Coordinates of all heavy atoms in Angstrom, one line a residue:
M1 N 20.3 3.9 -74.4 CA 21.1 3.3 -73.3 C 21.0 4.1 -72.1 O 21.2 5.3 -72.1 CB 22.5 3.1 -73.8 CG 23.3 2.1 -72.9 SD 24.8 1.6 -73.6 CE 26.0 2.5 -72.5
S2 N 20.7 3.4 -70.9 CA 20.5 4.2 -69.7 C 21.9 4.4 -69.1 O 22.8 3.7 -69.3 CB 19.6 3.4 -68.7 OG 20.2 2.1 -68.5
A3 N 21.9 5.5 -68.3 CA 23.2 5.9 -67.6 C 23.6 4.9 -66.6 O 22.7 4.2 -66.0 CB 23.1 7.2 -67.0
V4 N 24.8 4.8 -66.2 CA 25.3 3.9 -65.2 C 25.3 4.8 -63.9 O 25.9 5.9 -63.9 CB 26.7 3.4 -65.4 CG1 27.2 2.6 -64.3 CG2 26.7 2.5 -66.7
R5 N 24.7 4.3 -62.8 CA 24.7 4.9 -61.6 C 25.7 4.2 -60.6 O 25.9 3.0 -60.8 CB 23.3 4.9 -60.9 CG 22.2 5.5 -61.8 CD 22.3 7.0 -62.0 NE 22.5 7.7 -60.7 CZ 21.5 8.2 -60.0 NH1 20.2 8.0 -60.5 NH2 21.7 8.9 -58.9
V6 N 26.3 5.0 -59.7 CA 27.3 4.4 -58.8 C 27.0 4.9 -57.4 O 26.7 6.0 -57.2 CB 28.7 4.7 -59.2 CG1 29.0 6.2 -59.3 CG2 29.7 4.0 -58.2
T7 N 27.0 3.9 -56.4 CA 26.8 4.3 -55.0 C 27.8 3.6 -54.1 O 28.3 2.6 -54.5 CB 25.4 3.9 -54.5 OG1 25.2 2.5 -54.7 CG2 24.3 4.6 -55.3
V8 N 28.1 4.2 -53.0 CA 28.9 3.6 -52.0 C 28.1 3.5 -50.7 O 27.4 4.4 -50.3 CB 30.1 4.5 -51.7 CG1 30.9 4.0 -50.4 CG2 31.1 4.6 -52.9
D9 N 28.1 2.3 -50.2 CA 27.4 2.0 -48.9 C 28.4 2.4 -47.8 O 29.3 1.6 -47.4 CB 27.0 0.6 -48.8 CG 26.1 0.3 -47.5 OD1 26.2 1.1 -46.6 OD2 25.4 -0.7 -47.5
Q10 N 28.2 3.6 -47.2 CA 29.2 4.1 -46.2 C 29.0 3.4 -44.9 O 29.9 3.5 -44.0 CB 29.0 5.6 -46.1 CG 29.4 6.4 -47.3 CD 29.4 7.8 -47.1 OE1 28.5 8.3 -46.3 NE2 30.2 8.6 -47.8
E11 N 28.0 2.6 -44.7 CA 27.9 1.8 -43.5 C 28.9 0.6 -43.5 O 29.3 0.1 -42.5 CB 26.5 1.2 -43.4 CG 25.4 2.2 -43.3 CD 25.4 2.8 -41.9 OE1 25.6 2.1 -40.9 OE2 25.1 4.0 -41.8
I12 N 29.3 0.3 -44.7 CA 30.2 -0.9 -44.9 C 31.6 -0.4 -45.2 O 32.6 -1.1 -44.9 CB 29.7 -1.8 -46.0 CG1 28.3 -2.3 -45.7 CG2 30.6 -3.0 -46.2 CD1 27.6 -3.1 -46.8
C13 N 31.8 0.7 -45.9 CA 33.1 1.2 -46.3 C 34.1 1.3 -45.1 O 33.7 1.7 -44.0 CB 32.9 2.7 -46.9 SG 34.4 3.5 -47.3
I14 N 35.3 0.9 -45.4 CA 36.4 0.9 -44.4 C 37.5 1.9 -44.7 O 38.5 2.0 -44.0 CB 37.0 -0.5 -44.2 CG1 37.6 -1.0 -45.6 CG2 36.0 -1.5 -43.7 CD1 38.4 -2.3 -45.5
G15 N 37.2 2.7 -45.8 CA 38.1 3.8 -46.1 C 39.5 3.4 -46.5 O 40.5 4.1 -46.3
C16 N 39.6 2.3 -47.2 CA 40.9 1.6 -47.4 C 42.1 2.4 -48.2 O 43.2 2.2 -47.8 CB 40.7 0.3 -48.1 SG 39.9 0.3 -49.6
P17 N 42.0 3.1 -49.2 CA 41.1 3.7 -50.1 C 41.4 3.3 -51.5 O 41.8 4.1 -52.4 CB 41.4 5.2 -49.9 CG 42.9 5.2 -49.8 CD 43.3 3.8 -49.2
F18 N 41.1 2.0 -51.9 CA 41.4 1.5 -53.2 C 40.6 2.2 -54.3 O 41.1 2.4 -55.4 CB 41.2 0.0 -53.2 CG 42.2 -0.8 -52.4 CD1 41.8 -2.1 -51.9 CD2 43.4 -0.3 -52.1 CE1 42.7 -2.8 -51.1 CE2 44.3 -1.0 -51.3 CZ 43.9 -2.3 -50.8
C19 N 39.4 2.5 -54.0 CA 38.5 3.1 -55.1 C 39.1 4.4 -55.6 O 39.2 4.6 -56.8 CB 37.1 3.3 -54.6 SG 37.0 4.3 -53.1
E20 N 39.6 5.2 -54.7 CA 40.2 6.5 -55.1 C 41.5 6.2 -55.9 O 41.8 6.9 -56.9 CB 40.5 7.4 -53.9 CG 41.0 8.7 -54.3 CD 41.3 9.6 -53.1 OE1 40.3 9.8 -52.3 OE2 42.4 10.1 -53.0
S21 N 42.3 5.2 -55.5 CA 43.5 4.9 -56.2 C 43.2 4.4 -57.6 O 44.0 4.7 -58.6 CB 44.3 3.8 -55.5 OG 44.5 4.1 -54.1
V22 N 42.2 3.6 -57.8 CA 41.9 3.0 -59.1 C 41.1 4.0 -60.0 O 41.4 4.1 -61.2 CB 41.0 1.8 -58.9 CG1 40.4 1.3 -60.2 CG2 41.8 0.7 -58.2
C23 N 40.3 4.9 -59.4 CA 39.5 5.8 -60.2 C 39.3 7.1 -59.5 O 38.2 7.4 -58.9 CB 38.1 5.1 -60.4 SG 37.1 5.9 -61.6
V24 N 40.3 7.9 -59.5 CA 40.2 9.2 -58.8 C 39.2 10.2 -59.4 O 38.8 11.1 -58.8 CB 41.7 9.8 -58.8 CG1 42.1 10.3 -60.2 CG2 41.8 11.0 -57.8
E25 N 38.8 9.9 -60.7 CA 37.8 10.7 -61.3 C 36.4 10.6 -60.6 O 35.6 11.5 -60.7 CB 37.6 10.4 -62.8 CG 38.9 10.6 -63.6 CD 39.8 9.4 -63.7 OE1 39.7 8.5 -62.8 OE2 40.6 9.4 -64.6
L26 N 36.2 9.5 -60.0 CA 34.8 9.2 -59.5 C 34.7 9.1 -57.9 O 33.6 9.2 -57.4 CB 34.3 7.9 -60.1 CG 34.0 7.9 -61.5 CD1 33.5 6.5 -62.0 CD2 32.9 9.0 -61.9
F27 N 35.9 8.9 -57.3 CA 35.8 8.6 -55.8 C 36.8 9.5 -55.1 O 37.9 9.7 -55.5 CB 36.1 7.1 -55.5 CG 35.2 6.2 -56.2 CD1 35.5 5.6 -57.4 CD2 34.0 5.9 -55.6 CE1 34.6 4.7 -58.0 CE2 33.1 5.0 -56.2 CZ 33.4 4.4 -57.4
R28 N 36.4 9.9 -53.9 CA 37.3 10.6 -53.0 C 37.1 10.0 -51.6 O 36.0 9.7 -51.2 CB 36.9 12.1 -53.0 CG 37.7 13.0 -52.1 CD 39.1 13.3 -52.7 NE 39.2 13.1 -54.1 CZ 39.1 14.1 -55.0 NH1 38.8 15.3 -54.7 NH2 39.2 13.8 -56.3
V29 N 38.2 9.7 -50.9 CA 38.1 9.2 -49.6 C 38.6 10.2 -48.6 O 39.7 10.8 -48.7 CB 39.0 7.9 -49.4 CG1 38.9 7.3 -48.0 CG2 38.5 6.8 -50.4
E30 N 37.7 10.5 -47.7 CA 38.0 11.6 -46.6 C 37.4 11.1 -45.3 O 36.3 10.6 -45.3 CB 37.4 12.9 -47.0 CG 38.1 13.6 -48.1 CD 37.5 14.9 -48.5 OE1 36.5 15.4 -47.8 OE2 37.8 15.5 -49.6
G31 N 38.2 11.3 -44.3 CA 37.7 11.0 -42.9 C 37.3 9.5 -42.8 O 36.4 9.2 -42.0
G32 N 38.0 8.7 -43.6 CA 37.8 7.2 -43.5 C 36.5 6.7 -44.2 O 36.1 5.6 -44.0
L33 N 36.0 7.6 -45.1 CA 34.8 7.1 -45.9 C 35.0 7.6 -47.3 O 35.6 8.6 -47.6 CB 33.5 7.8 -45.3 CG 33.0 7.2 -44.0 CD1 31.7 8.0 -43.6 CD2 32.6 5.7 -44.1
A34 N 34.5 6.7 -48.2 CA 34.5 7.1 -49.6 C 33.3 7.8 -50.0 O 32.2 7.6 -49.5 CB 34.6 5.8 -50.5
F35 N 33.5 8.8 -50.9 CA 32.4 9.6 -51.5 C 32.4 9.5 -53.0 O 33.5 9.5 -53.6 CB 32.5 11.1 -51.1 CG 32.4 11.3 -49.6 CD1 33.5 11.1 -48.8 CD2 31.2 11.6 -49.0 CE1 33.4 11.3 -47.4 CE2 31.1 11.8 -47.6 CZ 32.2 11.7 -46.8
V36 N 31.2 9.4 -53.6 CA 31.1 9.4 -55.0 C 31.1 10.8 -55.5 O 30.3 11.7 -55.0 CB 29.8 8.7 -55.5 CG1 29.6 8.8 -57.0 CG2 29.8 7.2 -55.0
L37 N 32.0 11.2 -56.4 CA 32.1 12.5 -56.9 C 31.2 12.8 -58.1 O 30.7 14.0 -58.2 CB 33.6 12.8 -57.4 CG 34.7 12.7 -56.4 CD1 36.0 12.9 -57.0 CD2 34.4 13.6 -55.2
R38 N 30.9 11.8 -58.9 CA 30.1 12.1 -60.1 C 29.1 10.9 -60.3 O 29.5 9.8 -60.6 CB 31.0 12.2 -61.3 CG 31.9 13.4 -61.1 CD 33.1 13.4 -62.1 NE 32.8 13.9 -63.4 CZ 33.6 13.9 -64.4 NH1 34.8 13.4 -64.3 NH2 33.2 14.5 -65.5
D39 N 27.9 11.2 -60.2 CA 26.8 10.2 -60.4 C 25.6 10.9 -61.0 O 25.1 11.9 -60.5 CB 26.4 9.6 -59.0 CG 25.3 8.6 -59.1 OD1 25.4 7.7 -59.9 OD2 24.2 8.8 -58.4
P40 N 25.2 10.4 -62.2 CA 25.6 9.2 -62.9 C 27.0 9.3 -63.4 O 27.6 10.4 -63.5 CB 24.6 9.1 -64.1 CG 23.7 10.3 -64.0 CD 24.0 11.1 -62.8
V41 N 27.6 8.1 -63.7 CA 28.9 8.0 -64.2 C 29.0 8.7 -65.6 O 28.2 8.3 -66.5 CB 29.4 6.5 -64.3 CG1 30.8 6.4 -64.9 CG2 29.3 5.9 -62.9
P42 N 29.9 9.6 -65.8 CA 30.0 10.3 -67.1 C 30.5 9.3 -68.2 O 31.2 8.3 -67.8 CB 31.1 11.4 -66.9 CG 31.2 11.5 -65.4 CD 30.8 10.2 -64.8
P43 N 30.1 9.5 -69.4 CA 30.5 8.6 -70.5 C 32.0 8.5 -70.5 O 32.7 9.5 -70.3 CB 30.0 9.3 -71.8 CG 28.9 10.2 -71.3 CD 29.2 10.6 -69.9
G44 N 32.5 7.2 -70.7 CA 33.9 7.0 -70.8 C 34.5 6.6 -69.5 O 35.7 6.1 -69.4
L45 N 33.8 6.7 -68.4 CA 34.4 6.4 -67.0 C 33.7 5.1 -66.5 O 33.9 4.7 -65.3 CB 34.2 7.5 -66.1 CG 35.1 8.7 -66.3 CD1 34.8 9.8 -65.3 CD2 36.5 8.4 -66.3
E46 N 32.9 4.4 -67.3 CA 32.2 3.2 -66.8 C 33.2 2.1 -66.4 O 33.0 1.5 -65.3 CB 31.2 2.7 -67.8 CG 30.1 3.6 -68.2 CD 30.4 4.6 -69.3 OE1 31.6 4.7 -69.7 OE2 29.4 5.2 -69.8
E47 N 34.2 1.9 -67.2 CA 35.2 0.9 -66.9 C 36.0 1.2 -65.6 O 36.3 0.3 -64.8 CB 36.1 0.7 -68.1 CG 37.1 -0.5 -68.0 CD 36.3 -1.8 -67.8 OE1 35.2 -2.0 -68.4 OE2 36.8 -2.7 -67.1
C48 N 36.3 2.5 -65.5 CA 37.0 3.0 -64.3 C 36.1 2.6 -63.0 O 36.6 2.1 -62.0 CB 37.2 4.5 -64.5 SG 38.0 5.3 -63.2
A49 N 34.8 2.9 -63.1 CA 33.9 2.7 -62.0 C 33.9 1.2 -61.7 O 33.9 0.7 -60.6 CB 32.5 3.2 -62.4
R50 N 33.8 0.4 -62.8 CA 33.8 -1.1 -62.6 C 35.1 -1.6 -61.9 O 35.0 -2.5 -61.1 CB 33.6 -1.7 -64.0 CG 32.9 -3.0 -64.0 CD 32.3 -3.4 -65.4 NE 31.1 -2.6 -65.7 CZ 30.9 -1.8 -66.8 NH1 31.9 -1.8 -67.7 NH2 29.8 -1.2 -66.9
E51 N 36.2 -1.1 -62.3 CA 37.4 -1.5 -61.7 C 37.5 -1.1 -60.3 O 38.0 -1.9 -59.4 CB 38.6 -0.9 -62.5 CG 38.9 -1.5 -63.8 CD 39.9 -0.8 -64.7 OE1 40.6 0.1 -64.1 OE2 40.1 -1.1 -65.9
A52 N 37.0 0.0 -59.9 CA 36.9 0.4 -58.5 C 36.0 -0.5 -57.7 O 36.4 -0.9 -56.6 CB 36.5 1.9 -58.4
A53 N 34.9 -0.8 -58.3 CA 33.9 -1.7 -57.6 C 34.6 -3.1 -57.4 O 34.5 -3.7 -56.3 CB 32.6 -1.9 -58.4
D54 N 35.3 -3.6 -58.4 CA 36.0 -4.9 -58.3 C 37.2 -4.8 -57.2 O 37.5 -5.8 -56.6 CB 36.6 -5.3 -59.6 CG 35.6 -5.7 -60.6 OD1 34.4 -6.0 -60.2 OD2 35.9 -5.8 -61.8
A55 N 37.8 -3.6 -57.1 CA 38.9 -3.5 -56.2 C 38.5 -3.3 -54.7 O 39.2 -3.5 -53.8 CB 39.7 -2.2 -56.6
C56 N 37.2 -2.9 -54.5 CA 36.7 -2.7 -53.1 C 36.7 -4.0 -52.3 O 36.1 -5.0 -52.7 CB 35.3 -2.1 -53.2 SG 34.7 -1.8 -51.5
P57 N 37.5 -4.0 -51.2 CA 37.6 -5.3 -50.5 C 36.4 -5.7 -49.7 O 36.2 -6.9 -49.4 CB 38.8 -5.0 -49.5 CG 38.7 -3.5 -49.4 CD 38.3 -3.0 -50.7
V58 N 35.4 -4.8 -49.5 CA 34.2 -5.2 -48.8 C 33.0 -5.1 -49.7 O 31.8 -5.3 -49.2 CB 34.0 -4.3 -47.6 CG1 35.2 -4.5 -46.6 CG2 34.0 -2.8 -47.9
G59 N 33.2 -4.8 -51.0 CA 32.0 -4.9 -51.9 C 31.0 -3.9 -51.6 O 29.8 -4.1 -51.9
C60 N 31.4 -2.7 -51.2 CA 30.3 -1.7 -50.9 C 30.1 -0.7 -52.0 O 29.3 0.3 -51.9 CB 30.6 -1.0 -49.6 SG 32.1 0.1 -49.6
I61 N 30.7 -0.9 -53.2 CA 30.5 0.0 -54.3 C 29.5 -0.8 -55.2 O 29.8 -1.9 -55.7 CB 31.7 0.3 -55.1 CG1 32.7 1.1 -54.2 CG2 31.4 1.1 -56.4 CD1 34.1 1.3 -54.9
A62 N 28.3 -0.2 -55.5 CA 27.3 -0.8 -56.4 C 27.2 0.0 -57.7 O 27.1 1.2 -57.6 CB 26.0 -0.9 -55.6
L63 N 27.2 -0.7 -58.8 CA 26.9 -0.1 -60.1 C 25.6 -0.6 -60.6 O 25.3 -1.8 -60.4 CB 28.0 -0.5 -61.1 CG 29.4 -0.1 -60.7 CD1 30.4 -0.6 -61.8 CD2 29.5 1.4 -60.6
H64 N 24.8 0.2 -61.2 CA 23.5 -0.2 -61.7 C 23.0 0.7 -62.7 O 23.4 1.9 -62.8 CB 22.5 -0.3 -60.5 CG 22.3 1.0 -59.8 ND1 21.2 1.8 -60.0 CD2 23.0 1.6 -58.9 CE1 21.3 2.9 -59.3 NE2 22.4 2.8 -58.6
A65 N 22.1 0.2 -63.5 CA 21.5 1.0 -64.6 C 20.5 2.0 -63.9 O 19.9 1.7 -62.9 CB 20.8 0.1 -65.6
D66 N 20.4 3.1 -64.6 CA 19.5 4.2 -64.1 C 18.1 3.7 -63.8 O 17.5 4.1 -62.8 CB 19.5 5.3 -65.2 CG 19.4 6.6 -64.6 OD1 19.5 6.7 -63.3 OD2 19.3 7.6 -65.3
D67 N 17.6 2.8 -64.6 CA 16.2 2.4 -64.5 C 16.0 1.0 -63.8 O 15.0 0.4 -63.8 CB 15.6 2.3 -65.9 CG 16.5 1.4 -66.8 OD1 17.5 0.9 -66.4 OD2 16.1 1.4 -68.0
E68 N 17.1 0.6 -63.1 CA 17.0 -0.7 -62.4 C 16.5 -0.5 -61.0 O 17.0 0.4 -60.3 CB 18.4 -1.3 -62.4 CG 18.5 -2.8 -61.9 CD 19.9 -3.3 -62.0 OE1 20.8 -2.5 -62.3 OE2 20.1 -4.4 -61.7
P69 N 15.5 -1.3 -60.6 CA 15.0 -1.2 -59.2 C 16.1 -1.4 -58.2 O 17.0 -2.2 -58.4 CB 13.9 -2.3 -59.1 CG 13.6 -2.6 -60.5 CD 14.9 -2.4 -61.3
V70 N 16.0 -0.7 -57.0 CA 17.0 -0.8 -56.0 C 17.2 -2.3 -55.5 O 18.3 -2.7 -55.3 CB 16.6 0.1 -54.8 CG1 17.5 -0.1 -53.6 CG2 16.7 1.5 -55.2
E71 N 16.1 -3.0 -55.3 CA 16.1 -4.4 -54.8 C 17.0 -5.2 -55.7 O 17.8 -6.0 -55.2 CB 14.8 -5.0 -54.7 CG 13.9 -4.3 -53.7 CD 13.3 -3.0 -54.2 OE1 13.3 -2.8 -55.4 OE2 12.8 -2.2 -53.4
E72 N 16.8 -5.1 -57.0 CA 17.6 -5.9 -57.9 C 19.1 -5.5 -57.9 O 20.0 -6.4 -58.0 CB 17.1 -5.8 -59.4 CG 15.8 -6.5 -59.6 CD 15.3 -6.3 -61.0 OE1 16.1 -6.1 -61.9 OE2 14.1 -6.4 -61.2
R73 N 19.3 -4.2 -57.7 CA 20.7 -3.8 -57.6 C 21.4 -4.4 -56.4 O 22.5 -4.8 -56.5 CB 20.7 -2.2 -57.5 CG 21.9 -1.6 -57.1 CD 21.9 -0.1 -57.2 NE 20.6 0.5 -56.9 CZ 20.5 1.4 -55.9 NH1 21.5 1.9 -55.3 NH2 19.3 1.9 -55.7
L74 N 20.7 -4.3 -55.2 CA 21.3 -4.9 -54.0 C 21.6 -6.4 -54.2 O 22.6 -6.8 -53.8 CB 20.4 -4.6 -52.8 CG 20.4 -3.1 -52.5 CD1 19.3 -2.9 -51.3 CD2 21.7 -2.6 -52.0
L75 N 20.6 -7.1 -54.7 CA 20.8 -8.5 -54.9 C 21.9 -8.8 -55.8 O 22.8 -9.7 -55.5 CB 19.5 -9.1 -55.5 CG 19.5 -10.6 -55.7 CD1 19.7 -11.3 -54.3 CD2 18.2 -11.0 -56.3
A76 N 22.0 -8.0 -56.9 CA 23.1 -8.2 -57.9 C 24.5 -8.0 -57.2 O 25.4 -8.7 -57.4 CB 23.0 -7.3 -59.0
S77 N 24.6 -7.0 -56.3 CA 25.8 -6.7 -55.7 C 26.2 -7.8 -54.7 O 27.3 -8.1 -54.5 CB 25.8 -5.3 -55.0 OG 25.1 -5.3 -53.9
I78 N 25.2 -8.4 -54.1 CA 25.4 -9.5 -53.1 C 25.9 -10.7 -53.9 O 26.9 -11.4 -53.5 CB 24.1 -9.8 -52.3 CG1 23.8 -8.7 -51.4 CG2 24.3 -11.1 -51.6 CD1 22.4 -8.8 -50.7
L79 N 25.2 -11.0 -55.0 CA 25.6 -12.2 -55.8 C 26.9 -12.0 -56.4 O 27.6 -13.0 -56.7 CB 24.5 -12.4 -56.9 CG 23.1 -12.8 -56.3 CD1 22.1 -13.0 -57.4 CD2 23.2 -14.1 -55.5
D80 N 27.3 -10.8 -56.7 CA 28.6 -10.5 -57.3 C 29.8 -10.8 -56.4 O 30.9 -10.9 -56.8 CB 28.8 -9.1 -57.8 CG 28.2 -8.9 -59.2 OD1 27.8 -10.0 -59.8 OD2 28.0 -7.8 -59.6
E81 N 29.5 -10.9 -55.1 CA 30.5 -11.0 -54.1 C 31.3 -12.4 -54.3 O 30.6 -13.4 -54.4 CB 29.9 -11.0 -52.7 CG 29.6 -9.6 -52.2 CD 30.9 -8.9 -52.0 OE1 31.7 -9.2 -51.2 OE2 31.0 -7.9 -52.7
P82 N 32.6 -12.3 -54.3 CA 33.3 -13.6 -54.4 C 33.1 -14.4 -53.1 O 32.9 -13.9 -52.0 CB 34.8 -13.2 -54.5 CG 34.8 -11.8 -54.0 CD 33.4 -11.2 -54.2
A83 N 33.2 -15.8 -53.3 CA 33.0 -16.6 -52.1 C 34.2 -16.5 -51.2 O 35.3 -16.2 -51.6 CB 32.9 -18.1 -52.6
P84 N 33.9 -16.5 -49.8 CA 35.0 -16.3 -48.9 C 36.0 -17.5 -49.0 O 35.8 -18.5 -49.4 CB 34.3 -16.3 -47.5 CG 32.9 -16.8 -47.7 CD 32.7 -16.7 -49.2
Ligands
LIG1 S1 37.5 0.7 -51.9 FE1 35.5 0.3 -50.9 S2 36.1 0.1 -48.7 FE2 37.8 1.1 -49.7 S3 37.4 3.3 -49.5 FE3 36.5 2.7 -51.5 S4 34.4 2.2 -51.1 FE4 35.4 2.2 -49.1

């Protein structure tokens, strides 16, 4: 099984900081931007990462498998966005 990778698009991040509230093990918000503390996601923290991605109001946290191409990852994160 491939590792789960996590990224934050800091161009979109608004520093709210829900990700850190939901999953302090993986995210830190400083200076109005979120930073990923541990990537790939350590075993046992995948659900925490998923909850943080779901909590992000602007959808700038992307989760993807280690071997997944970047284009598919971006498309998946766009398609995951709830309708306005
Ligand atoms: S929840 Fe999203 S918008 Fe808020 S600080 Fe984290 S990454 Fe940025």
